[in-house]
Amino acid sequence: MSLSFSLRSSPTQPFPFPFPITSSSKSNRHFLLPHRTSTTSTCPSSPIRRRLLLKPNGTPLSLRCSSSMSLDNSTPTSQLQDSLLFSRAYWVSKSIIAWNVDVGDGSCFLFASKTAALSIVDDGVEGKDMQIKLEEDSCGLPEDVIRKFPHIQDYRAFKVPSTLDAKTLLKCQLAVATFNSDGKCINVTGLQLPGVLDDLFSYNGPLGALYSEDSVSLYLWAPTAQAVCACIYRDPVGGNPLEIVQLEEVNGVWSTKGPKRWEGCYYVYEVSVYHPSTLQIDKCHVNDPYARGLSSDGRRTFLVNLDSDTLKPEDWDDLANEKPDILSFSDISIYELHIRDFSAYDYTVHPEFRGGYLAFTLQDSSGVLHLKKLSNAGLTHVHLLPTFQFAGVDDEKENWKCVDTNMLDKLPPDSVQQQALITAIQDNDGYNWGYNPVLWGVPKGSYASNPNGPYRIIEFRKMIQALNRIGLRIVLDVVYNHVHGSGPFDENSVLDKIVPGYYLRKNTDGLIENSTCVNNTASEHVMVERLILDDLLHWVVHYKVDGFRFDLMGHIMKSTMVKAKDALHSLTKERDGIDGSSIYIYGEGWDFGEVAKNGRGVNASQFNLSGTQIGSFNDRIRDAMLGGSPFGHPLQQGFVTGLFLQPNGHDHGTEANAECMLAVAKDHIQVGMAANLRDFVLTNFEGKEVKGSEVLTYGGAPVAYALSPTETVNYVSAHDNETLFDIVSLKTPMEISVDKRCRINYLATSVIALSQGIPFFHSGDEMLRSKSLDRDSYNSGDWFNRLDFTYNSNNWGVGLPPKEKNEKNWPLIKPRLADPSFKPQKSHILAAVDNFLNLLRIRYSSPLFRLKTANAIQERVRFHNTGPSWIPGTIVMSIEDGFEGVPGLSQLDPIYSYIAVIVNASPTEVSFACPALRARTLKLHPIQVMSTDELVKSSTYEGSSGCFTVPPRTTSVFVEPR
């Protein structure tokens, strides 16, 4: 958390100006405005309340969010003054300003004030140091500008004189105004500057702290700053600076060279800069955005050389050679895990290690033994929820509050008291998912044994090394789409204190976009993109991570993602100590908000990413399997939760409508099982041959979007929304037994495990994990997020889930939690773990489950039981292999020549005869034959008729040995 304060100030050093400066600042302009955002929003990571804006006289201002607001000749001066609070014009390049106004026979001027003294008076603009007449360009905006700023493509273009010293001007308060033919000001606004900053100040040299044998150098990109100095401290907190050093600027980059003794000290920048949210020059105390270490309170940057041998665990430099092999991205499987969840309640872990990095380094804890089981069964990657420096959890553990869990254990399973006690301290405990980015490049201090000094760095590296050594590669969850803080006052604000208005995406009024949650970032801006790429390379080179999951990836530009992939894949063991070709990246390709439909450029949405080899989450298979969507009615059923086959009383329309919904859901699932390939051809429920892209969602969008199997990440549950077991417990009829709910949990994971593409599992899916029906446990404490690797409890029935996100569903939740028959026993959990391990073993028993190309899937994968005469609730998939030396398909699997997977979601046994599957020597997979699941063992295949018989709620795998 960075310390900031704001005061009316002049630069600490003389400011070179090419024109005379006049003093026209009015005393009534010396006011502070809270930082402005474009919407009122709340999100899991950062509740944002509406902020009140004040006029200079202190009265509230009503925001009129209209980028093309036209002010007539009678517009009062006070309303024009209010317009300075907005930035509706865009300085898009050195030579062009774009503004959505019609000057007519009037005129347009650019105004600048070094001291931020601009104000509107009856006869124009006061406080200016310079005014420049702008002429409209009748040719409009150039194509390159429209490509970069498509949302303003219809704006008018105004020519900036070529003789203007724009670089100096950009350090001022700026405004443009139009005047009618009588010289009366009729329109005025501030400017958005990212376009011209990119044009004039794009930079690819050093940033952050650099270390040599005899010096430490600091570099900060801050082209709009009037002055920058670095305050050097000996200690992480308290005390006066050892030195205050003024940085020198060259073309927007401020730098200084200090002595080697700085290494191991702490520093903070003091940046004097005009901030459009306050309309004044602010002095901001701020961390380095390229920080690699922090103090315990997060307010000072730690000067640490990550290449120092003292920070490396034994054999760290050789870790690239110890990493588990990945021959192809199609071999990947992913297990999503939160660091605190992993060990906070693991009593086989030393108390000082619980909930932190070092818990992963123990070889015989319950959690590590569980991960070893998963790894031995074939799991390849662990995806860690945010591990960078985030807000919401104090890094100093002694400041945490907690609740007596012994008292919570004694409360009824449907009580309201647990959530009341947890939420009372939720902002002061040790728990948060972490989607509140403060600094992207520093490991979170609360997970370290000591948040000061180098401990977080060393312990993070030990965690990576330990997981690699048990056969698991590591994916980091990165949140580049937003930051937690903004403005000059917020202690969590970093980027917006250094180059205000640049890093964060603005709407056409100049207010920060909040569609991601809060403070959207703008990767379409050159130096934002560079910061993202540098950060990714930093985590790979310095921490040797193996992949990245991009939160709300659709809010990042496609070009940024492609550059990220190319940069990572260019890394080599010889030069960088890591094999970049093995790094897999994927994310949430949702298309919404201001970036939807390429509104800010071609974004990294599901459909735009096809052909890039970048993965995106397949929500289609999730929704078809479970029913509805996370935003629909919680009782809407899906393919595995009883739609048509075992109704729960929710209104799904007529019986015929429910049956049709089930058939449509099956098509969506089959497309997903074929890696959601847009050109995969299958027979739909109507009996027509269609491509995956011709199968449509209920909203009319294509189900399939991928061109390669590794572009699809199939899943049914993740950290967001209810756990798999919880959603099954909500959607299935109240009267069915817990045995059957556990079987549905297994059925759902089996579809994901045996599909083409990348399978993704939420930690605890394999243990029937419950969060007591909490749909959003981002801040629900350890209590609702518990994982028990001793398999004694799945955490069902630990109280009504927190009121904020769940109260409207309490009437549905309460009777389920109160019913003791809903709670699984240890035997259920053990069976679920065993079944999950067997699914992994089956997936990795044959390369046919992990086909590498779209062409291989189209040639080898077939779906049977299709068309209008299908047996409801049954999916039959076959995968064919070739034979060595025989024309046709090549041989991939030396053990099996043919595989059939039958998914029976119905509550009764089914028999399906398939002429295409007659006369084969199919047998139940030996892993299922040897399993502890007695039900799956009763599955049969009769060769003469091609008839399969499969028990209820079971996935059976049949193989043809060579």
Side-chain angles (χ1 to χ4, degrees):
M1 295 170 287
S2 53
L3 176 66
S4 78
F5 59 88
S6 174
L7 48 85
R8 186 76 173 177
S9 64
S10 58
T12 56
Q13 282 200 337
F15 181 66
F17 236 68
F19 45 83
I21 298 171
T22 61
S23 176
S24 59
S25 175
K26 293 187 176 180
S27 61
N28 68 355
R29 288 204 65 264
H30 294 207
F31 60 96
L32 300 183
L33 289 171
H35 191 55
R36 304 187 311 285
T37 54
S38 64
T39 59
T40 302
S41 78
T42 58
C43 74
S45 57
S46 176
I48 302 299
R49 295 178 177 84
R50 182 173 297 277
R51 293 165 164 94
L52 183 65
L53 301 189
L54 304 179
K55 296 181 183 180
N57 63 8
T59 59
L61 168 68
S62 173
L63 294 185
R64 299 168 297 283
C65 296
S66 173
S67 61
S68 60
M69 182 170 64
S70 177
L71 302 175
D72 60 29
N73 293 349
S74 62
T75 304
T77 302
S78 61
Q79 190 169 331
L80 287 172
Q81 179 70 37
D82 293 348
S83 295
L84 287 176
L85 295 164
F86 300 93
S87 299
R88 295 186 171 117
Y90 295 72
W91 197 339
V92 293
S93 69
K94 179 181 178 182
S95 59
I96 298 172
I97 288 174
W99 194 11
N100 193 23
V101 293
D102 183 1
V103 176
D105 58 356
S107 56
C108 183
F109 287 86
L110 170 65
F111 297 92
S113 169
K114 172 206 164 184
T115 56
L118 295 180
S119 62
I120 310 302
V121 293
D122 291 340
D123 57 350
V125 179
E126 274 195 353
K128 56 186 177 291
D129 297 315
M130 176 179 272
Q131 69 177 45
I132 304 101
K133 188 170 184 181
L134 305 175
E135 299 292 342
E136 186 172 346
D137 186 342
S138 59
C139 295
L141 296 174
E143 283 301 314
D144 61 331
V145 170
I146 291 174
R147 279 195 301 273
K148 183 160 184 171
F149 303 103
H151 60 297
I152 61 168
Q153 58 186 303
D154 297 327
Y155 280 35
R156 296 173 187 265
F158 295 87
K159 293 182 284 188
V160 178
S162 59
T163 57
L164 188 68
D165 182 3
K167 289 186 175 182
T168 302
L169 211 62
L170 288 165
K171 297 179 181 294
C172 303
Q173 180 189 20
L174 299 172
V176 286
T178 59
F179 298 81
N180 63 16
S181 57
D182 296 328
K184 181 176 177 61
C185 182
I186 59 172
N187 225 328
V188 65
T189 188
L191 289 98
Q192 298 189 38
L193 304 179
V196 69
L197 292 177
D198 283 347
D199 199 9
L200 296 178
F201 294 105
S202 293
Y203 168 76
N204 61 5
L207 289 171
L210 271 68
Y211 303 86
S212 68
E213 288 186 3
D214 59 359
S215 65
V216 176
S217 299
L218 301 178
Y219 298 86
L220 180 71
W221 187 76
T224 61
Q226 296 186 1
V228 177
C229 52
C231 304
I232 311 297
Y233 294 87
R234 183 182 308 280
D235 298 316
V237 294
N240 295 317
L242 294 174
E243 300 177 61
I244 299 178
V245 182
Q246 180 70 42
L247 276 66
E248 300 295 326
E249 182 190 12
V250 176
N251 202 34
V253 178
W254 300 78
S255 64
T256 190
K257 187 174 182 179
K260 185 66 172 177
R261 68 173 182 272
W262 280 6
E263 187 173 339
C265 293
Y266 295 80
Y267 69 107
V268 63
Y269 284 124
E270 182 184 270
V271 181
S272 296
V273 64
Y274 171 74
H275 209 295
S277 71
T278 61
L279 303 183
Q280 56 186 39
I281 309 299
D282 289 314
K283 271 189 180 177
C284 301
H285 284 69
V286 61
N287 277 306
D288 191 331
Y290 277 76
R292 298 299 179 240
L294 283 173
S295 59
S296 60
D297 63 0
R299 297 186 184 183
R300 293 178 186 171
T301 301
F302 182 44
L303 282 161
V304 57
N305 182 2
L306 296 180
D307 292 326
S308 170
D309 288 338
T310 61
L311 303 181
K312 298 175 181 178
E314 187 177 355
D315 298 325
W316 174 254
D317 288 333
D318 197 45
L319 186 59
N321 296 317
E322 295 185 52
K323 285 183 177 288
D325 291 334
I326 285 289
L327 301 179
S328 166
F329 286 158
S330 62
D331 293 330
I332 289 173
S333 52
I334 301 169
Y335 184 80
E336 182 193 44
L337 181 63
H338 184 275
I339 285 181
R340 273 201 68 79
D341 291 355
F342 176 67
S343 61
Y345 275 94
D346 189 344
Y347 297 107
T348 64
V349 173
H350 190 281
E352 291 184 5
F353 291 0
R354 285 179 204 156
Y357 302 126
L358 292 178
F360 292 90
T361 66
L362 306 177
Q363 290 303 301
D364 56 358
S365 71
S366 296
V368 170
L369 291 175
H370 183 80
L371 291 181
K372 287 180 179 178
K373 291 177 189 175
L374 298 179
S375 175
N376 291 337
L379 187 79
T380 64
H381 285 64
V382 169
H383 155 184
L384 296 174
L385 266 67
T387 56
F388 49 76
Q389 185 68 16
F390 58 80
V393 174
D394 195 323
D395 285 350
E396 298 173 296
K397 297 179 178 65
E398 58 267 27
N399 295 332
W400 294 355
K401 295 180 180 178
C402 60
V403 178
D404 182 359
T405 56
N406 291 325
M407 176 183 64
L408 296 178
D409 281 331
K410 296 173 183 177
L411 295 171
D414 61 335
S415 170
V416 73
Q417 294 182 60
Q418 294 96 326
Q419 64 85 33
L421 292 165
I422 295 298
T423 56
I425 63 161
Q426 64 182 3
D427 295 328
N428 298 289
D429 64 359
Y431 196 90
N432 196 289
W433 280 348
Y435 293 93
N436 320 326
V438 177
L439 284 162
W440 290 329
V442 183
K444 177 62 175 167
S446 65
Y447 297 141
S449 61
N450 182 345
N452 285 312
Y455 295 93
R456 64 176 83 194
I457 296 163
I458 298 168
E459 292 171 15
F460 195 101
R461 286 172 164 174
K462 286 182 176 181
M463 173 183 70
I464 299 294
Q465 186 180 59
L467 286 167
N468 281 175
R469 285 177 170 174
I470 63 171
L472 294 169
R473 287 176 169 253
I474 307 305
V475 172
L476 296 190
D477 200 324
V478 287
V479 186
Y480 296 127
N481 62 82
H482 73 273
V483 290
H484 190 64
S486 61
F489 310 122
D490 189 334
E491 66 179 15
N492 292 311
S493 176
V494 177
L495 300 177
D496 202 41
K497 289 179 178 178
I498 295 170
V499 193
Y502 179 80
Y503 287 96
L504 306 184
R505 189 179 289 134
K506 303 288 189 73
N507 67 12
T508 50
D509 283 316
L511 309 181
I512 297 170
E513 293 282 8
N514 283 329
S515 55
T516 63
C517 174
V518 63
N519 299 322
N520 296 7
T521 53
S523 69
E524 59 271 26
H525 302 160
V526 172
M527 297 303 287
V528 181
E529 178 179 84
R530 182 188 161 175
L531 179 56
I532 292 170
L533 300 182
D534 287 350
D535 193 66
L536 292 166
L537 291 170
H538 152 66
W539 283 108
V540 172
V541 171
H542 292 129
Y543 290 98
K544 303 187 187 300
V545 302
D546 307 291
F548 297 95
R549 177 266 192 192
F550 286 76
D551 182 65
L552 297 185
M553 179 174 62
H555 271 67
I556 299 171
M557 294 299 109
K558 175 183 176 180
S559 59
T560 304
M561 293 300 303
V562 172
K563 288 176 187 177
K565 184 199 72 172
D566 292 345
L568 292 168
H569 287 185
S570 71
L571 299 173
T572 65
K573 282 186 184 180
E574 295 72 25
R575 185 184 67 240
D576 309 295
I578 201 77
D579 175 14
S581 66
S582 67
I583 295 168
Y584 180 60
I585 62 175
Y586 61 100
E588 296 177 306
W590 320 138
D591 193 37
F592 69 96
E594 76 282 359
V595 300
K597 298 181 173 60
N598 301 322
R600 295 301 181 96
V602 180
N603 62 321
S605 64
Q606 290 169 325
F607 291 98
N608 287 339
L609 284 175
S610 59
T612 64
Q613 306 296 311
I614 295 169
S616 63
F617 285 98
N618 178 14
D619 52 334
R620 280 76 157 155
I621 196 170
R622 175 201 66 189
D623 293 348
M625 296 251 284
L626 301 178
S629 78
F631 313 104
H633 195 285
L635 294 184
Q636 187 170 338
Q637 292 177 287
F639 192 84
V640 302
T641 55
L643 177 62
F644 176 67
L645 300 169
Q646 198 160 29
N648 61 6
H650 179 66
D651 183 8
H652 293 94
T654 64
E655 186 172 297
N657 186 67
E659 185 175 13
C660 180
M661 289 171 65
L662 184 67
V664 170
K666 186 199 67 155
D667 283 353
H668 291 192
I669 295 167
Q670 290 177 157
V671 171
M673 293 180 76
N676 220 48
L677 296 172
R678 71 184 195 191
D679 295 326
F680 180 81
V681 177
L682 73 163
T683 302
N684 71 3
F685 74 98
E686 295 174 316
K688 300 175 184 176
E689 277 205 350
V690 294
K691 292 182 178 180
S693 60
E694 295 169 333
V695 178
L696 303 180
T697 67
Y698 292 107
V703 166
Y705 52 79
L707 286 178
S708 164
T710 56
E711 291 173 359
T712 293
V713 177
N714 282 320
Y715 76 115
V716 286
S717 71
H719 66 274
D720 283 319
N721 311 308
E722 294 89 350
T723 66
L724 176 57
F725 181 82
D726 282 351
I727 203 70
V728 167
S729 298
L730 263 181
K731 291 178 179 290
T732 50
M734 287 279 292
E735 62 273 11
I736 74 169
S737 68
V738 68
D739 294 353
K740 294 171 182 174
R741 291 194 185 91
C742 295
R743 194 140 198 98
I744 292 170
N745 192 102
Y746 167 53
L747 185 74
T749 54
S750 73
V751 174
I752 300 303
L754 302 177
S755 293
Q756 304 294 330
I758 307 293
F760 175 99
F761 306 100
H762 179 217
S763 55
D765 280 355
E766 77 283 15
M767 301 187 297
L768 310 175
R769 181 183 188 176
S770 172
K771 296 180 183 178
S772 210
L773 292 165
D774 191 347
R775 64 171 285 104
D776 189 358
S777 67
Y778 79 99
N779 203 16
S780 299
D782 295 323
W783 180 255
F784 287 98
N785 288 285
R786 269 194 300 190
L787 278 173
D788 179 3
F789 292 111
T790 65
Y791 315 132
N792 284 307
S793 170
N794 77 331
N795 210 42
W796 173 269
V798 295
L800 284 169
K803 179 178 180 179
E804 179 191 3
K805 302 286 185 177
N806 301 280
E807 185 180 19
K808 70 176 182 179
N809 289 331
W810 277 359
L812 293 174
I813 293 171
K814 189 174 177 64
R816 287 166 169 80
L817 295 180
D819 187 341
S821 72
F822 272 73
K823 185 176 179 63
Q825 303 304 307
K826 184 172 185 175
S827 58
H828 293 114
I829 298 169
L830 290 170
V833 172
D834 192 47
N835 281 333
F836 184 79
L837 294 173
N838 284 339
L839 287 172
L840 289 175
R841 294 178 185 123
I842 291 170
R843 180 175 182 83
Y844 289 98
S845 71
S846 172
L848 298 179
F849 286 115
R850 311 184 309 280
L851 298 173
K852 298 178 183 179
T853 67
N855 187 56
I857 293 171
Q858 184 62 69
E859 289 181 331
R860 298 167 187 265
V861 175
R862 294 286 182 274
F863 289 98
H864 313 274
N865 187 36
T866 57
S869 60
W870 76 301
I871 297 173
T874 304
I875 293 173
V876 181
M877 176 180 74
S878 63
I879 315 172
E880 185 175 3
D881 200 14
F883 293 85
E884 199 73 50
V886 177
L889 294 173
S890 60
Q891 181 177 315
L892 301 177
D893 189 339
I895 301 173
Y896 304 122
S897 61
Y898 202 90
I899 295 175
V901 177
I902 295 87
V903 180
N904 176 19
S906 70
T908 58
E909 179 184 274
V910 296
S911 293
F912 171 73
C914 180
L917 299 179
R918 284 179 186 161
R920 291 200 168 270
T921 56
L922 290 166
K923 299 178 180 178
L924 191 64
H925 198 292
I927 289 173
Q928 290 190 322
V929 171
M930 298 297 293
S931 78
T932 57
D933 182 357
E934 295 300 324
L935 207 54
V936 74
K937 292 180 183 180
S938 65
S939 307
T940 61
Y941 165 75
E942 209 282 310
S944 61
S945 62
C947 183
F948 297 88
T949 301
V950 177
R953 301 187 180 92
T954 298
T955 295
S956 301
V957 180
F958 293 87
V959 291
E960 187 172 71
R962 292 190 183 278

